Amino acid sequence: MKFLLVTDLDNTLVGDDEATQLFNQRLQPVRSQICLIYATGRSHASTCQLIAQKQLLAPDYLIAGVGSEIYQDGTIDLDWAQYLSQDWDKMAIASLAQQFSQLKPQSLKEQNPWKISYCLEPAAENISTLQALQQKLTASGLAAQIIFSSNRDLDILPQTSNKGNALTYLQKRLQIPSEATLVCGDSGNDISMFQQNVRGVIVANALSELLEWHREYGTENHYLAGSACAWGIIEGMAYFWGF
Ligand code: GLC
Ligand code: MG
């Protein structure tokens, strides 16, 4: 395999059905040259439902739960699980987060051993809540990272996790160089992918959190697509790879 294509699902590959189907058609003739990875915040079960519902191509790997789990053919990667388990005290972190009444736990289906997820009501003081939570975690000596997306979803993950670290783990295993690795996304939990040594496409419908990151840190390796959702991925593949 020569190329590595890593794409987010909601509002990136999925969001415009016509574009998703055109993406599938474009990929089919070159499918054997491309390692296809979906990187999503969704759980494994919810991703499988979406794949069936939207008739997505079967991926080679699935990065689920914002990088907290990696699957190949429905089997979880135990090496990754073991790596994330080091220096990760889920119970202590969850009980500390419980002290923040603004944090409403997401459904049990969205939680897993390496991901604690909450919802925050849109409010002006959200950023200070995030800072206070981070400070408390640090003061308690608990290693964790906080990822805030869509001005609503708050995920707490092991420091070694996230979509970007998961994709780099697979990229190294597959030995695919950075110029042949393309990531695509639209929101805050995709930022870690753009921070890796890769090429990246930000779809035109991206949220302000990702656009702000791009304004501050974007380089010539990051392409701001003129079109939304999977149209933007198609645009980015042509821009970086010529197909
Ligand atoms: C998805 C997940 C949710 C997570 C969000 C942001 O919506 O289902 O648990 O908080 O992505 O990463
Ligand atoms: Mg998305």
Side-chain angles (χ1 to χ4, degrees), residues 2 47 68 140 146 161 163 186 190 195 202-203 215 241:
K2 291 193 193 140
T47 308
S68 58
S140 312
I146 298 172
S161 183
K163 289 187 183 186
D186 75 298
D190 298 313
Q195 288 171 325
I202 295 171
V203 291
R215 261 195 298 279
W241 292 345

Side-chain angles (χ1 to χ4, degrees), residues 187-200:
S187 82
N189 74 6
D190 298 313
I191 292 173
S192 65
M193 300 207 285
F194 295 97
Q195 288 171 325
Q196 308 300 308
N197 188 14
V198 297
R199 306 294 180 259

Side-chain angles (χ1 to χ4, degrees), residues 167-182:
L167 92 85
T168 295
Y169 166 83
L170 292 172
Q171 183 195 29
K172 285 194 177 137
R173 182 197 284 178
L174 297 160
Q175 297 185 304
I176 298 184
S178 52
E179 62 278 9
T181 302
L182 186 60

Side-chain angles (χ1 to χ4, degrees), residues 41-43 66 106 110 115 117-118 149 152-155 189:
R42 289 178 181 245
S43 66
V66 203
Q106 290 184 16
E110 300 301 338
K115 173 176 180 272
S117 293
Y118 298 91
S149 310
R152 182 196 60 215
D153 299 320
L154 189 149
D155 303 307
N189 74 6

Side-chain angles (χ1 to χ4, degrees), residues 12-228:
T12 303
L13 180 57
V14 175
D16 180 324
D17 292 342
E18 196 190 330
T20 305
Q21 290 315 315
L22 184 66
F23 169 87
N24 287 352
Q25 281 170 27
R26 290 283 177 91
L27 221 68
Q28 245 136 21
V30 287
R31 184 69 186 84
S32 61
Q33 292 175 55
I34 294 182
C35 178
L36 178 63
I37 301 181
Y38 297 152
T40 175
R42 289 178 181 245
S43 66
H44 181 247
S46 150
T47 308
C48 292
Q49 280 170 10
L50 187 72
I51 290 175
Q53 187 198 342
K54 294 291 178 184
Q55 297 172 306
L56 306 182
L57 298 175
D60 295 293
Y61 294 91
L62 172 61
I63 295 173
V66 203
S68 58
E69 295 181 323
I70 297 176
Y71 290 86
Q72 188 180 18
D73 293 329
T75 304
I76 195 164
D77 185 322
L78 291 175
D79 291 337
W80 183 247
Q82 202 175 29
Y83 173 62
L84 297 193
S85 299
Q86 293 161 23
D87 203 15
W88 168 245
D89 189 344
K90 185 184 171 182
M91 295 299 279
I93 294 166
S95 67
L96 189 147
Q98 255 173 33
Q99 298 168 19
F100 290 78
S101 58
Q102 310 91 311
L103 303 183
K104 311 285 178 221
Q106 290 184 16
S107 83
L108 277 179
K109 288 185 201 152
E110 300 301 338
Q111 319 290 340
N112 75 39
W114 309 274
K115 173 176 180 272
I116 314 171
S117 293
Y118 298 91
C119 279
L120 261 170
E121 298 292 330
E125 63 279 6
N126 277 349
I127 296 301
S128 48
T129 303
L130 298 186
Q131 283 167 349
L133 175 61
Q134 183 63 67
Q135 271 163 15
K136 276 216 159 189
L137 287 167
T138 309
S140 312
L142 293 167
Q145 66 181 298
I146 298 172
I147 298 179
F148 192 46
S149 310
S150 315
N151 207 21
R152 182 196 60 215
D153 299 320
L154 189 149
D155 303 307
I156 310 181
L157 307 174
Q159 250 163 14
T160 41
S161 183
N162 72 39
K163 289 187 183 186
N165 289 337
L167 92 85
T168 295
Y169 166 83
L170 292 172
Q171 183 195 29
K172 285 194 177 137
R173 182 197 284 178
L174 297 160
Q175 297 185 304
I176 298 184
S178 52
E179 62 278 9
T181 302
L182 186 60
V183 306
C184 317
D186 75 298
S187 82
N189 74 6
D190 298 313
I191 292 173
S192 65
M193 300 207 285
F194 295 97
Q195 288 171 325
Q196 308 300 308
N197 188 14
V198 297
R199 306 294 180 259
V201 187
I202 295 171
V203 291
N205 53 303
L207 297 181
S208 58
E209 60 222 25
L210 178 56
L211 294 172
E212 273 161 29
W213 177 87
H214 178 255
R215 261 195 298 279
E216 200 158 342
Y217 303 105
T219 70
E220 68 280 4
N221 290 337
H222 304 119
Y223 176 72
L224 213 49
S227 47

